[in-house]
Amino acid sequence: MVRPVVELDREGIDRLIAQLGDSGFTVIAPTLSDGTISHGPISSSQDLPVGWTEVQDAGTYRLTRREDDALFGYAVGPHSWKRFLHPPEVVVWQGDGGMTPLDLAPPPRYAFFGVRPCEMAAISIQDKVFLDSGFSDDVYRSRRTDAFIVEVECYEPGGTCFCASMGTGPGAVEGADLVVSEILDDEHRFVVRAGSDAGEEVLAALGAAEAETDVIAAAEQVVADAAARMGRTLDTDGLRAALTAQAQSERWDEIAARCLTCANCTMACPTCFCAGIDDSLSLDGAVATRTRRWDSCFGLEFSYIHGGSLRTSAASRYRQWITHKLSTWWDQFGSSGCVGCGRCITWCPVGIDITAEATAMLAEARSEEAS
Amino acid sequence: MATATELSIPQLLDPMPCVVRAVNRETHDTITLEVEPAEPYHFEPGQITMVYKHGVGEIPISISSDPDRHDRISQTVRGVGAVSKAIIASHPGDVLGIRGPFGVGWPIDQAEGGDVAIIGGGIGLAPLRSIVYRVLNRRDRFGAVVILVGARTPKDIVFAEELREWGSRFDIDVNVTVDTADRGWHGPVGVVTNMIPRAPWDSSKVTAFVCGPEVMMRFTARALREDDVPMDKVYVTMERNMQCGVGLCGHCQWGSHFVCREGPVFRYDTVAELFRIRGV
Amino acid sequence: MSNTMAQIKDLKFFSGLKRRHLEVLAALAKEIEVEKGTYIFREGDDALRCLVVLSGDVALELPMQGRDPRTVQTVHDGDVLGWSWLYPPHRWTFDARAVTDVTALVFDAEQLRAVKDSDHELGFQLMTRFGKVMVSRLQATRMRLMDLYGNGD
């Protein structure tokens, strides 16, 4: 099926945002917040980080001005969209002593505006986790099913980006309702493609002109150029087997000597899904509340069974995280758990680099195999 | 009745109210609660339930009762943490919440036509007790049925009365050994693995179901191997931090496995490598 | 074949020994019957015998002043009972009490030591077997030390 492709200018983008708002969506997009580019509600393109970009490296993140008025001239900030679909904290059950459940509030209807391809890939991965693994999570489903996703292709990869290695960018990946490409040559333009029926309907209502072939070609060129400017790369050939094979490697201790087990990487990761359930009681003891909160395999409590934690060493916890992400995720969900967004590298306070650590383990496995 | 797979979170997180009907003390820190579920309850031996104490918390507990009985279920709990201590302090009439059953239980039908070895250490006997009931309910389908139990001292033996009852039957062989004992104990003294070489099963026809602390299961598997029992006929059950019960919270991961969903029962040869990795 | 020879041949402990070695051992062995409750040997006594249990249960006990003795291990059909006779000062370190009626093969310790010293091949075979028994008992003891069933708490 050939979906419509239209060309918009910035005013057209504003109309698109307004239209989504008018259709009842809470429109969430990248915004300037806390010295970062984070997600927040917007009502026009003016609320986007216009003319801003970031400098990212291991353990480094700085906002800086661009020389143009680009709407999407940056990569990804500290937060991913998972905080909207898989909230950091959500009440999952509330009941009295007779265990009669009390009603919980319905979730908002979101339009995510400015989802990067790596983030779209991450959402698809979490779809598999929460919706397709035998049991479904209605907290996630209720937010996900009605969400409208506007994906934006990347032309300004960050210093820690490696989506090209993971096959998740910088060009659009499947799953969005609309895909936007920003073109910044002499004329500031946007190519918008429909990716779903819902997307087509929105475009039809917008009444925009069909995009010319040369504009579409320009948009494609922007993405192709970006693929060559990734801040990082990761050789994934044999990586899955290498990590499990190196489970007893002494290198884990060497990484653990640097790792603070702060859990930043798991919080920033757009696919990490682990969550714990906390029980609390109202002061009068009548109403018990079960709250689901993000949890991290870097915490000692995470593997606690009576008598103590099973992963007592930082080495075992780092190994669990990276092995899960790059190896056992395949066994569980049929894909890698890493989309190459680079957040875990940028937001690691000591700059541990997943691409460097995985590469070292791969090299170790290869040399052991060769000897 | 809806099966678990048709349900979703948060329904899966709704505890089913169950009324405590009997509290039986097993040892100084372990009790067996007999509870009456709000609706008929179906489970397979070895499956897990999440047991919830109002406002205190929830812990994974395996069911220890007869799987062919649906109006009452028994759960054997050792009071070692805040939640388990609150649960074992329950009295008849109290309400506990139960979720589940979750996971994959013991493949008892695989043992049909052959011998059955049921090997438990300490409170590890709890999830094995359901196997005994199931096997006794269908006794003619199995060959020799041998129960081997290890406990620290005679006072630490759970289900002592039932073990005596089963031991007095002619169609089941019960052997209990303790680490140390005084004169009041007339049974064997030594580790549970000592009993394996002289156990009256046919090693080529036996299926072994093993439950206890990991180290006990590892040593038991080793002793079974030395007794020529094939490792693909040995099943163990794993204990991990479980919170959701359906593989969505991530805590119980063991290598690539979600213990709550693919386990807790595993065929030993499929996980033997994982047993060797520390802190996995 | 003598009755004793047949019994020795059937014991797993002696399996794999050459026929002439089995004959030497059979010539030294005699079967005894011990009534339930009888002490087969006592801590501190001279270890004059080596036993292999044919049937019944024997408790190895540690006598304690003012308290009931503690059972440290039980041995059963086919198990070797005692190795204190192997090494000086040849004294038993535990009591051995018949928990049930017991039948056992008994070897005179002095004769067995002499055979082992004069025929090194047989001596080696016997020592290998005793070594295996000792290792497995040591391992079993270690397992009990770490409280195998209680998660170490």
Side-chain angles (χ1 to χ4, degrees):
Chain A
M1 186 189 349
V2 180
R3 301 272 192 194
V5 184
V6 304
E7 183 184 326
L8 297 178
D9 54 11
R10 184 164 163 186
E11 186 270 330
I13 291 290
D14 278 325
R15 281 196 292 126
L16 174 57
I17 293 168
Q19 189 183 316
L20 289 170
D22 293 344
S23 316
F25 288 109
T26 303
V27 184
I28 308 285
T31 57
L32 285 180
S33 154
D34 299 332
T36 66
I37 293 173
S38 296
H39 302 131
I42 62 161
S43 51
S44 83
S45 67
Q46 200 50 52
D47 298 330
L48 294 165
V50 183
W52 285 93
T53 191
E54 346 96 318
V55 177
Q56 298 199 39
D57 203 345
T60 296
Y61 181 96
R62 293 280 179 282
L63 287 183
T64 168
R65 290 295 308 188
R66 296 174 58 91
E67 288 170 0
D68 55 26
D69 284 335
L71 302 189
F72 302 103
Y74 40 85
V76 293
H79 301 296
S80 71
W81 301 95
K82 80 173 176 185
R83 59 191 300 111
F84 298 98
L85 296 171
H86 173 42
E89 184 174 300
V90 63
V91 172
V92 286
W93 187 82
Q94 219 168 36
D96 58 22
M99 317 243 166
T100 315
L102 309 176
D103 283 341
L104 303 177
R109 213 167 139 234
Y110 291 119
F112 299 136
F113 199 95
V115 173
R116 298 299 183 167
C118 63
E119 299 182 307
M120 188 64 242
I123 290 170
S124 297
I125 286 173
Q126 287 212 326
D127 285 352
K128 246 182 259 175
V129 173
F130 287 116
L131 306 176
D132 295 337
S133 55
F135 297 95
S136 114
D137 181 335
D138 278 358
V139 173
Y140 185 89
R141 182 187 293 279
S142 61
R143 287 159 174 78
R144 175 73 177 96
T145 309
D146 293 335
F148 189 91
I149 294 181
V150 181
E151 184 178 0
V152 175
E153 295 191 301
C154 282
Y155 55 84
E156 202 72 78
T160 56
C161 287
F162 57 104
C163 63
S165 300
M166 306 311 288
T168 55
V173 299
E174 285 284 294
D177 296 295
L178 291 176
V179 176
V180 175
S181 313
E182 183 171 28
I183 301 169
L184 288 162
D185 44 23
D186 30 331
E187 206 183 330
H188 194 185
R189 293 169 293 172
F190 303 85
V191 173
V192 185
R193 286 177 278 157
S196 70
D197 294 348
E200 269 189 45
E201 280 169 35
V202 168
L203 281 194
L206 206 58
E210 204 172 305
E212 302 291 338
T213 357
D214 63 322
V215 186
I216 295 174
E220 283 166 1
Q221 190 56 48
V222 161
V223 165
D225 292 347
R229 285 186 285 120
M230 290 284 133
R232 297 282 198 277
T233 57
L234 178 60
D235 179 3
T236 56
D237 184 27
L239 187 56
R240 178 183 171 188
L243 285 167
T244 43
Q246 297 310 108
Q248 313 270 34
S249 167
E250 285 170 12
R251 218 192 128 71
W252 299 115
D253 294 319
E254 190 276 312
I255 305 169
R258 288 175 278 140
C259 175
L260 308 177
T261 66
C262 70
N264 262 15
C265 49
T266 54
M267 299 295 118
C269 178
T271 66
C272 273
F273 59 86
C274 291
I277 294 167
D278 292 334
D279 291 278
S280 58
L281 200 58
S282 61
L283 279 178
D284 62 2
V287 177
T289 303
R290 316 204 70 201
T291 308
R292 185 164 80 179
R293 287 192 179 88
W294 285 359
D295 202 350
S296 169
C297 53
F298 281 94
L300 260 182
E301 291 282 298
F302 188 81
S303 62
Y304 184 88
I305 56 172
H306 60 84
S309 290
L310 295 170
R311 295 189 199 108
T312 48
S313 68
S316 65
R317 282 174 268 153
Y318 186 83
R319 181 186 64 195
Q320 166 62 28
W321 177 70
I322 194 172
T323 305
H324 185 212
K325 197 94 333 202
L326 296 171
S327 177
T328 53
W329 205 293
W330 283 97
D331 304 309
Q332 297 171 345
F333 305 108
S335 76
S336 168
C338 174
V339 294
C341 72
R343 286 186 179 89
C344 58
I345 307 171
T346 299
W347 297 98
C348 175
V350 295
I352 293 174
D353 182 338
I354 188 174
T355 63
E357 303 308 338
T359 302
M361 281 297 171
L362 184 60
E364 201 177 83
R366 281 176 181 163
S367 77
E368 278 177 26
E369 212 170 284
S371 64
Chain B
M1 195 185 91
T3 63
T5 43
E6 290 161 10
L7 294 171
S8 57
I9 281 178
Q11 283 82 44
L12 280 166
L13 295 175
D14 288 354
M16 171 175 65
C18 294
V19 183
V20 176
R21 292 299 177 204
V23 181
N24 301 313
R25 182 155 288 278
E26 302 286 352
T27 70
H28 72 284
D29 63 358
T30 303
I31 56 126
T32 296
L33 291 171
E34 200 180 298
V35 304
E36 184 181 339
E39 50 189 270
Y41 199 83
H42 296 261
F43 71 96
E44 285 302 312
Q47 282 190 300
I48 314 151
T49 52
M50 296 299 299
V51 179
Y52 174 68
K53 176 86 176 178
H54 182 68
V56 180
E58 192 182 55
I59 49 168
I61 301 284
S62 52
I63 311 171
S64 59
S65 53
D66 184 346
D68 297 314
R69 197 175 162 185
H70 308 295
D71 58 337
R72 291 286 169 95
I73 54 176
S74 292
Q75 299 186 289
T76 303
V77 187
R78 184 158 167 245
V80 282
V83 182
S84 57
K85 281 179 180 159
I87 289 172
I88 70 167
S90 299
H91 297 287
D94 288 357
V95 175
L96 291 174
I98 287 182
R99 294 195 296 119
F102 298 120
V104 177
W106 306 101
I108 300 175
D109 49 348
Q110 308 251 326
E112 287 183 14
D115 297 345
V116 183
I118 296 167
I119 308 174
I123 194 180
L125 196 55
L128 297 170
R129 185 182 181 227
S130 298
I131 305 182
V132 181
Y133 284 117
R134 171 59 58 80
V135 167
L136 291 180
N137 292 348
R138 303 170 183 183
R139 184 63 190 89
D140 57 328
R141 299 190 196 179
F142 303 91
V145 177
V146 182
I147 303 177
L148 305 181
V149 178
R152 190 176 195 174
T153 73
K155 279 186 225 151
D156 297 306
I157 300 168
V158 293
F159 315 127
E161 203 171 304
E162 266 169 317
L163 286 168
R164 261 194 302 277
E165 251 173 62
W166 292 332
S168 67
R169 294 173 63 127
F170 293 107
D171 58 353
I172 183 165
D173 195 271
V174 179
N175 302 272
V176 184
T177 187
V178 296
D179 281 351
T180 170
D182 59 22
R183 277 284 174 79
W185 174 250
H186 301 290
V189 175
V191 281
V192 69
T193 50
N194 284 359
M195 303 192 287
I196 288 173
R198 61 175 63 84
W201 60 56
D202 179 340
S203 294
S204 67
K205 286 199 300 195
V206 73
T207 303
F209 303 112
V210 186
C211 182
E214 270 179 46
V215 56
M216 172 267 177
M217 295 194 289
R218 238 164 51 215
F219 282 115
T220 301
R222 196 182 294 169
L224 288 168
R225 181 179 290 146
E226 279 167 25
D227 194 48
D228 298 324
V229 176
M231 289 298 100
D232 60 359
K233 301 286 283 297
V234 176
Y235 293 86
V236 294
T237 182
M238 297 305 297
E239 196 173 13
R240 280 295 179 272
N241 184 347
M242 298 182 208
Q243 297 196 8
C244 71
V246 291
L248 293 178
C249 81
H251 289 85
C252 66
Q253 284 180 85
W254 185 42
S256 64
H257 304 294
F258 290 101
V259 171
C260 72
R261 197 167 72 197
E262 293 150 57
V265 173
F266 291 94
R267 206 177 77 190
Y268 187 76
D269 61 329
T270 67
V271 292
E273 266 305 301
L274 281 175
F275 271 105
R276 295 180 56 238
I277 305 172
R278 275 172 222 169
V280 68
Chain C
M1 193 170 16
S2 74
N3 186 35
T4 321
M5 181 66 183
Q7 283 166 328
I8 286 188
K9 267 195 82 171
D10 281 349
L11 284 166
K12 204 176 167 192
F13 182 78
F14 295 118
S15 76
L17 283 184
K18 287 181 177 158
R19 185 161 182 92
R20 65 182 168 88
H21 287 151
L22 290 174
E23 280 166 356
V24 170
L25 293 170
L28 299 180
K30 68 170 200 250
E31 188 182 331
I32 60 162
E33 285 178 24
V34 183
E35 209 173 305
K36 176 180 171 180
T38 311
Y39 281 89
I40 299 170
F41 52 74
R42 282 184 187 270
E43 185 204 356
D45 286 354
D46 288 335
L48 303 174
R49 301 187 296 174
C50 166
L51 298 97
V52 183
V53 178
L54 294 172
S55 71
D57 308 322
V58 179
L60 291 171
E61 295 177 343
L62 188 63
M64 302 173 100
Q65 287 297 346
R67 283 174 62 180
D68 263 1
R70 304 288 300 176
T71 304
V72 291
Q73 169 146 33
T74 54
V75 296
H76 311 272
D77 312 5
D79 286 340
V80 167
L81 175 57
W83 51 65
S84 299
W85 61 273
L86 261 173
Y87 303 104
H90 306 308
R91 275 201 197 92
W92 297 117
T93 47
F94 292 105
D95 289 354
R97 185 176 57 89
V99 179
T100 60
D101 289 344
V102 169
T103 59
L105 279 184
V106 180
F107 300 87
D108 177 83
E110 206 167 323
Q111 286 178 343
L112 204 55
R113 284 197 296 264
V115 160
K116 149 177 103 60
D117 293 344
S118 63
D119 182 342
H120 282 193
E121 194 193 338
L122 176 55
F124 175 78
Q125 292 292 338
L126 285 176
M127 291 309 282
T128 305
R129 284 165 173 74
F130 275 105
K132 199 178 166 205
V133 171
M134 289 178 194
V135 166
S136 72
R137 298 247 179 114
L138 174 63
Q139 283 175 345
T141 305
R142 283 176 174 166
M143 279 191 252
R144 286 190 279 161
L145 271 181
M146 60 195 182
D147 183 16
L148 201 57
Y149 316 117
N151 284 324
D153 55 15

